[in-house]
Amino acid sequence: MKKLTCSLFLLALAPLGSLSAAVVTFDGLAYEDLVTDLPNWSTSETNSTSHLIAWGEPVANNMAGAFGGAYAEGNNNSVSLRMDSTLYSSYTSVTMDIMLKESTSLAPGRDTFGVGIESVAGASLGGIVFSPAITVNGIARWEVGYSVAGGNITYTGFVLNEDAWYDIGIDFSGSSFNLTFANSLGSINVPGTVAGFDGAANGLGDVVFNWDKAPATAFGDNYMIFDNVNVTTAVPEPSAALLTGIGALALLRRRR
């Protein structure tokens, strides 16, 4: 699968030492296995083998995750797929690759997709939204928008084509963030703030994928593919690690 250089979420919380990363590549899944078979993944709706909502999807001989209506209509106007994180304030970034797939003639509606990040308390900090836009020469497009703290969507004018990989990111520093939307042709940046939020103090929670249909239209069988979900955690500075080790040795000696 094509590797991209920009991140979907880069949450810079504080000056860091070394970094260690855990990457979800979905290579352990077979085609049409449930994403929820993986630890710490869940959906808001039933995700059975006969009613797939999130599943393994092969792309260019590699396995990715997929989410949407290819196999089943959503039961509500909004369905979510959640990657539950126990890292919280210790994690510094989440990166992933995103691709959108168009609907077929069987269910031609075009749905909205998105990815959001929550606080430890479950409040929305920010979300990136892909809304159906125009179709050019038979190629469907989605316009990129974003919301802050669950507020209204602001559209950027950046447009995604189907069947192409993209990097979309958000950089946090305290309560400030910078959104980045990028592909091989270019990128744009959008700055902003989350009032009252300090990542280092308040912590970061789950990554949530969303699938929404327009209330007045039928569901589409389009879907979103994602891969290389990379959660990066901070490793203490060498001095801090040394002090921790010294403390542990002292405690061990005292117990003896």
Side-chain angles (χ1 to χ4, degrees):
M1 177 168 295
K2 182 180 179 182
K3 282 282 191 176
L4 299 177
T5 56
C6 299
S7 66
L8 176 59
F9 284 104
L10 175 60
L11 309 174
L13 304 181
L16 302 172
S18 302
L19 298 176
S20 66
V23 182
V24 180
T25 63
F26 307 97
D27 290 340
L29 297 177
Y31 182 37
E32 297 182 349
D33 280 352
L34 303 180
V35 169
T36 50
D37 287 343
L38 299 174
N40 299 321
W41 288 81
S42 62
T43 58
S44 62
E45 311 276 334
T46 301
N47 191 36
S48 67
T49 54
S50 61
H51 191 85
L52 295 174
I53 293 174
W55 64 93
E57 174 91 359
V59 181
N61 299 318
N62 290 289
M63 194 62 62
F67 177 51
Y71 294 93
E73 294 183 352
N75 297 325
N76 296 313
N77 285 349
S78 179
V79 181
S80 65
L81 170 67
R82 180 177 298 269
M83 187 178 76
D84 179 21
S85 175
T86 57
L87 299 170
Y88 297 139
S89 60
S90 68
Y91 83 68
T92 60
S93 71
V94 178
T95 66
M96 69 184 75
D97 306 332
I98 293 289
M99 178 189 291
L100 295 171
K101 304 293 287 186
E102 178 58 301
S103 297
T104 70
S105 59
L106 297 176
R110 297 180 65 201
D111 301 333
T112 297
F113 297 91
V115 183
I117 191 79
E118 293 182 346
S119 69
V120 175
S124 175
L125 298 177
I128 298 173
V129 178
F130 317 118
S131 295
I134 60 174
T135 298
V136 178
N137 296 326
I139 298 176
R141 296 182 174 186
W142 281 261
E143 186 173 4
V144 177
Y146 68 94
S147 63
V148 179
N152 294 332
I153 298 172
T154 299
Y155 287 98
T156 64
F158 192 82
V159 177
L160 310 185
N161 289 334
E162 64 176 338
D163 296 323
W165 288 108
Y166 291 90
D167 290 325
I168 299 177
I170 180 169
D171 300 310
F172 270 96
S173 178
S175 62
S176 300
F177 65 84
N178 187 65
L179 296 171
T180 303
F181 309 97
N183 64 4
S184 60
L185 301 179
S187 65
I188 61 173
N189 298 285
V190 180
T193 60
V194 180
F197 177 75
D198 182 346
N202 303 134
L204 299 162
D206 297 351
V207 177
V208 182
F209 298 79
N210 293 295
W211 164 36
D212 300 285
K213 89 172 190 71
T217 64
F219 277 102
D221 54 11
N222 47 191
Y223 56 100
M224 176 170 63
I225 297 177
F226 48 94
D227 198 14
N228 302 315
V229 182
N230 187 334
V231 179
T232 305
T233 64
V235 175
E237 295 284 356
S239 58
L242 179 61
L243 289 174
T244 300
I246 292 173
L249 287 174
L251 179 60
L252 178 61
R253 183 173 182 179
R254 182 176 179 182
R255 285 182 175 176
R256 286 180 175 175

